[in-house]
Amino acid sequence: MPSIPTPLLAYLRLRARVVSRQLRELGWWRLVLLGALLLAFAGGALRQAAQHPRGQWAVPLVLLGLVWSAHRRRPDLVFLRAAGPDFRLGLAAEYALLALPVAGALLALGAGVGAGLLTLILPSLAALAGPARERTPRLRRPRSLFRSEAFEWVSGMRGVGGGLWWLALLAGALWQHATPLGPVLALAGWLLVVLSCYGTPEPATMLLLAARRPESFLRRRLVLALGYAALTAAPFGWLLATSPAGPGAAGGAAGLLLVLTGLLILIKYAFYPNGFLIRFSQGIVIGFVLSQPGNPVYPPLLAALLGGLLWQSRRRLGQFRYDEGGRE
């Protein structure tokens, strides 16, 4: 039996220590809460996919897309490239180990062996990708429709092409206006676009320049985010209200959109400045809510999340103040 190369073992041990440190930083109660959400979300999605003859083949493709996107955002890619010529082998092994529980669950739920093996192997191909290109700053940019203080909306929408996505989703909602599913899917798609804007933490200097109390800083961030979310989602809400679903469904969908947008803000500052924990937590919460609409556990769960994240975000932001109320 061939032995595992020593550099590969050293890399995997290093990654295990980094992940364990990040989990300890997450805290046991947040780990339990997010772990329960992850199991509920992933378990339900895998159960439905495994029982569908074509859906099971979508699992390896979706997993590859997720791993590919996370791989290109890794801040240590430049270091790993300089550390040794075989760094891609370690990355491929790491991604295969991450995919192993998903492949095992898919097989246990009744999927075919081919789909399970593809789920195990395909994410390793993400190791071939390079880091995301850094955008070259331009001296002149077109004037944004959003206030510069709402920098997530200004830079984020430019980065993901938010205006084009908004027009495309609106066109799709208009096309499927006769059924409630079109506007609902458009709202969900727009929420994912907004999610991409709030997944990257800003530099700490931007927090220091604000020089506000955590309560006022959070209040301002929430007012801007919820205001722009309401304005941009208003056409989708109107289409849903005039569809067979009616105004009641439109009000419920709009309210859920605003609650989830607020959760994105609170999660961002509750785990600031750890980008991995921010994106991981945001993805679990949004994925769980969108995958199981109408779940009766939503009201108490959202209330617990809002309370815990509000407390943690205020506590975290209190460490980034240079005024007389801040910490040394």
Side-chain angles (χ1 to χ4, degrees):
M1 184 176 179
S3 59
I4 301 177
T6 303
L8 178 58
L9 283 176
Y11 171 78
L12 293 177
R13 290 195 194 100
L14 176 63
R15 289 300 300 163
R17 289 173 185 160
V18 171
V19 172
S20 63
R21 178 179 58 80
Q22 290 175 335
L23 292 178
R24 287 196 300 271
E25 183 180 343
L26 185 62
W28 70 268
W29 68 270
R30 288 186 293 271
L31 182 61
V32 169
L33 181 59
L34 292 174
L37 290 178
L38 178 62
L39 288 176
F41 163 52
L46 288 176
R47 187 179 301 107
Q48 295 178 5
Q51 297 172 358
H52 197 281
R54 294 182 180 178
Q56 58 183 284
W57 296 100
V59 174
L61 296 177
V62 171
L63 190 59
L64 172 62
L66 293 174
V67 174
W68 190 286
S69 176
H71 166 81
R72 300 193 69 206
R73 290 185 175 187
R74 287 183 61 147
D76 59 349
L77 277 183
V78 177
F79 165 76
L80 291 175
R81 181 178 297 176
D86 299 328
F87 74 100
R88 296 190 189 277
L89 179 61
L91 291 172
E94 177 186 354
Y95 298 151
L97 288 175
L98 290 175
L100 182 59
V102 181
L106 199 63
L107 291 173
L109 291 170
V113 177
L117 289 176
L118 196 62
T119 302
L120 179 63
I121 297 172
L122 203 58
S124 301
L125 298 180
L128 300 176
R133 288 185 179 180
E134 295 185 1
R135 296 183 176 271
T136 305
R138 293 185 296 177
L139 296 178
R140 293 184 179 180
R141 289 184 178 274
R143 188 176 181 85
S144 175
L145 297 175
F146 307 108
R147 289 174 58 92
S148 59
E149 188 179 355
F151 52 86
E152 295 96 345
W153 288 78
V154 176
S155 61
M157 291 299 168
R158 284 173 179 163
V160 302
L164 296 177
W165 277 110
W166 187 84
L167 291 174
L169 291 170
L170 184 59
L174 283 169
W175 177 46
Q176 296 292 329
H177 182 220
T179 62
L181 187 60
V184 168
L185 291 179
L187 272 173
W190 184 241
L191 176 64
L192 295 179
V193 174
V194 175
L195 169 63
S196 66
C197 298
Y198 282 96
T200 303
E202 66 270 26
T205 51
M206 298 183 68
L207 298 185
L208 295 175
L209 289 173
R212 295 192 182 111
R213 294 176 58 84
E215 296 83 359
S216 60
F217 180 85
L218 270 180
R219 189 183 308 116
R220 186 62 179 169
R221 312 293 327 139
L222 288 170
V223 166
L224 288 171
L226 297 181
Y228 284 133
L231 285 174
T232 54
F236 305 111
W238 178 80
L239 290 174
L240 185 57
T242 55
S243 72
L256 183 59
L257 174 72
L258 294 180
V259 169
L260 291 178
T261 303
L263 282 175
L264 293 180
I265 306 293
L266 295 178
I267 290 173
K268 176 182 177 182
Y269 291 111
F271 299 112
Y272 182 91
N274 193 317
F276 167 77
L277 293 181
I278 291 173
R279 291 187 291 270
F280 176 72
S281 305
Q282 288 176 338
I284 289 177
V285 172
I286 300 300
F288 175 75
V289 173
L290 293 184
S291 66
Q292 301 186 27
N295 196 312
V297 78
Y298 278 174
L301 184 60
L302 289 178
L305 278 174
L306 283 172
L309 290 173
L310 183 60
W311 175 82
Q312 175 64 15
S313 58
R314 290 172 57 189
R315 178 175 173 270
R316 179 73 68 172
L317 286 172
Q319 302 174 1
F320 294 90
R321 292 171 58 201
Y322 66 81
D323 57 344
E324 59 184 9
R327 298 182 183 179
E328 296 294 336

